Amino acid sequence: MHERCRRICGDDKERCFIGNKKQIDCIADMVINKVFGISSIIEISMGESAPEKIRENLSHAVRTMDELILWVKFLQIAHDLRELSSLSYESGVHEKRRELRFPLPGIHQKYILMKVKIADSFVPVVIKNFSPHGIQFTCPEPLVPDTVRDCILLSTHGIKKEVSFKVKVRYCTKQGPAFVVGVQTEDISDKVSFNFFKSVHDFIMQIPTKESLQGE
């Protein structure tokens, strides 16, 4: 633990995160609730006799653990527990989401850029929220539902990096002068399944700490 503290924070005991009781209480409550839920699911499964029911319960437990990992990783890049209040599974009339969506923290908007290919050029869009396999963004032009689009995710700090991927448009709704678009990432054959959340997290974690906390 001491080595981890030294590596991440330089052993700055004066500003140790654990010193903020309200923040740590909130994180602890979140983790305890999720872990208790996982434990309960496993305990129920141990008493089940039907193999299919056991598989269903264990699958639920795995999804809950994956969600907890996403929560903690999001906290790493948001640095603000209040951002968690905007998380949701559903988007009203548009769709029922299978994955928890996370907002892109405003402090990182200038470092993370997404572009969608429209006609013969890549057009910048503004990410509203994202998950491992889904993204909602605002786009200056309409996109036809069920079409597949080429996209690029770029980091604009330090050594610039980018990753290319494809998405399938699920819906497109006009909102003021722009359009709100929901997409699902598409797996590319012969490649590892693309995880949008992981890519955003990896890009942000490479931003120098002082620079990432400066804001706009």
Side-chain angles (χ1 to χ4, degrees):
M1 184 66 183
H2 179 75
E3 172 58 27
R4 194 173 187 84
C5 289
R6 186 195 63 74
R7 176 170 56 82
I8 296 175
C9 298
D11 249 356
D12 186 359
K13 296 181 180 178
E14 293 294 323
R15 296 185 298 169
C16 182
F17 181 73
I18 297 176
N20 187 329
K21 189 176 185 300
K22 290 184 178 179
Q23 293 269 4
I24 200 66
D25 282 350
C26 186
I27 294 174
D29 185 66
M30 176 177 67
V31 173
I32 288 170
N33 285 338
K34 281 293 180 183
V35 172
F36 179 78
I38 295 168
S39 176
S40 297
I41 293 170
I42 294 176
E43 185 176 349
I44 291 173
S45 296
M46 292 173 64
E48 294 282 357
S49 57
E52 62 274 13
K53 188 62 177 178
I54 294 176
R55 286 195 296 271
E56 181 182 332
N57 288 340
L58 293 179
S59 177
H60 184 199
V62 170
R63 287 197 302 272
T64 303
M65 285 190 289
D66 288 343
E67 184 178 280
L68 178 57
I69 291 171
L70 291 180
W71 278 8
V72 175
K73 283 189 172 183
F74 178 72
L75 195 56
Q76 281 184 309
I77 63 177
H79 298 288
D80 190 340
L81 287 171
R82 291 171 296 181
E83 294 277 4
L84 293 171
S85 64
S86 60
L87 305 188
S88 66
Y89 276 106
E90 298 185 9
S91 60
V93 298
H94 295 312
E95 59 178 340
K96 184 174 181 179
R97 297 170 177 161
R98 293 176 296 174
E99 298 176 325
L100 196 59
R101 289 285 183 89
F102 297 81
L104 180 62
I107 197 172
H108 298 309
Q109 289 281 355
K110 63 181 179 181
Y111 300 114
I112 304 298
L113 178 64
M114 178 176 164
K115 295 183 177 181
V116 178
K117 190 171 185 180
I118 300 177
D120 295 324
S121 61
F122 281 90
V123 177
V125 298
V126 179
I127 300 171
K128 297 187 67 174
N129 54 60
F130 61 98
S131 68
H133 304 99
I135 316 159
Q136 185 185 66
F137 55 83
T138 57
C139 182
E141 299 183 40
L143 300 180
V144 180
D146 294 325
T147 58
V148 175
R149 299 280 178 167
D150 291 316
C151 299
I152 302 175
L153 181 69
L154 310 95
S155 62
T156 61
H157 65 88
I159 300 176
K160 295 177 174 58
K161 296 186 176 182
E162 68 176 59
V163 59
S164 300
F165 60 101
K166 293 180 181 292
V167 299
K168 185 174 185 178
V169 180
R170 308 302 297 181
Y171 63 84
C172 179
T173 304
K174 186 171 178 56
Q175 189 175 87
F179 297 84
V180 175
V181 182
V183 300
Q184 177 182 331
T185 61
E186 293 279 287
D187 289 340
I188 302 174
S189 59
D190 301 325
K191 291 188 177 182
V192 177
S193 179
F194 178 69
N195 187 315
F196 189 83
F197 182 99
K198 182 179 184 302
S199 294
V200 172
H201 179 268
D202 289 348
F203 282 1
I204 292 177
M205 290 301 289
Q206 293 174 35
I207 300 173
T209 304
K210 290 183 180 179
E211 184 180 7
S212 67
L213 294 178
Q214 284 177 350
E216 300 294 335

